[in-house]
Amino acid sequence: MRTTFHLKTLAVAIATLSVASMTNAAGLDRSGQDVTAFLQDGTYAEAVYTYIDADVSGKDSANNVPSNNTYVKGGNTGDIAEAYDFFRYGVKTDINDTFSIGVLYDEPFGAAAEYKGDSNFVSKGDINASITQLTGGRFNALTVGDEITRQTGIAQSPTSTPAERAAAAATATNLSTAVAAARAEAATAGENTNVEVRSESLTGILGMKFGANKEFQVYGGPVAQRIRADVKLRGLAYGPATGYTSTSNPDMDYGYIAGISYSKPEIALKAALTYRSEIDHDIDIAENYPLLAVRALAAGATPAQAAAAANRKSNYEVTTPESVNLDFQTGINPTTLATAKVRWVPWSDFSITPPLYNDVSKLNPLYSENGLNLVDYDDDQWMVELGLAKRVAPALAISGTVGWDSGAGDPTTSLGPIDGYYSVGLGAKYNVTENWAVSAGGKYLWFGDAKGRLPTGKIVGDFQDNDGYILGLKLSYQDIK
């Protein structure tokens, strides 16, 4: 005799999982771009609030010489992770037994980090101490000028060998850059390194069921996405880039979603594979690079000319990555549901390359061909989460999840030094009425250790033994005819 698991009785257990299963630590991933609201039966609507609080701290590097990439354990960075929250909404209804429509809103990508305290990611403003650190303790503000003159003389002397001239020229350039970086840091004394990225996404979906029992469904539709970002690099950890500031104005652009699902109501089985496209953003950006102003003044420019050299308004392209989500559930018995989620995002293809930042990096012969990205990642992200939900009373269900996120590589950007996580989550849902329900959930995360790296490859921080938690609250409505 075949056992039947009616979705009506399991509905209380199905939706509770998503409250505690919504964030990812790789790259800029935040919401996981969940589409399960559209996969619910009948008419369904939800409003979800998520709060994230992480503790990400480590040690900076005591080596602030830009040309030396060796990591030397330094002082405490303090907690750099800013508390972060976002909303998600979804509504879906069946037009008839073949067609369904839905609209989803989420905030898919984001970042919020700030270095505070006395680390090398905060501008101190002491030119003499900065020159000493940037030159590895060899010089200070009184002696570095004489050494630059001496090395320049060797580089220009006809009695020097070609090798001596090349070495002296490189040394003079490095020392001049250290002086300029120290003066650039002084211009932003007391300021912290800070990054904030926010995004919003609105997805329209049309689904069509087919098959002998309408067990298959194909779905897809347009996606409108808005993104903005603010970045401040401060402190000797960033070497010549200290003081760099950029503001990327909000930009709206468009992509698409497509997927296929299968359901077998007799055992409460549902499986869905969802693809989201890349979205190309052409973003207006304002950048300020103090190093250019210092160099312009040293070359005899007026203050107005120096300010103009250090500021630029332009535009650049950022492509948010494509992704694939697999959502699976099946009934184990009439009151218990098992779920699995898998997500893939190719963060190794993603980069943020502000034009002025990139152009300045090309002044270094090592990066003269393509310059440097401000942010990029080495690896693709894989996320896996398994869960169980059980109806323990006619109006109450509880759930639990375990998860793993691969991260996007280690070392990674100093603006988000996390290499994936392991997680456990708990959730509960209470049906206030036959149609209305309130869900609450939480997740605890153990973050993977990561080294913070500059675009040059220099390791400037080591972040270990970090963790965080997520809290979610959801109000939902469902009417299954």
Side-chain angles (χ1 to χ4, degrees), residues 1 6 30 33 62 91 111 182 207 236 303 314 323 327 396 405 417:
M1 180 177 177
H6 293 293
R30 285 298 176 266
Q33 297 181 299
V91 61
L236 296 182
S314 56
S323 64
D327 294 280
L396 178 66
D405 188 295

Side-chain angles (χ1 to χ4, degrees), residues 209-226:
K209 298 182 178 69
F210 63 97
N213 298 308
K214 303 292 186 181
E215 67 269 32
F216 292 97
Q217 180 179 213
V218 292
Y219 53 91
V223 178
Q225 186 182 90
R226 183 177 182 266

Side-chain angles (χ1 to χ4, degrees), residues 224-272:
Q225 186 182 90
R226 183 177 182 266
I227 192 167
R228 66 175 180 85
D230 296 291
V231 175
K232 294 180 179 180
L233 305 183
R234 302 292 186 266
L236 296 182
Y238 293 102
T242 183
Y244 173 82
T245 302
S246 69
T247 299
S248 296
N249 294 333
D251 177 76
M252 177 80 77
D253 227 303
Y254 306 92
Y256 65 91
I257 186 174
I260 185 169
S261 66
Y262 171 79
S263 65
K264 191 173 183 179
E266 302 96 294
I267 57 172
L269 186 150
K270 286 185 178 183

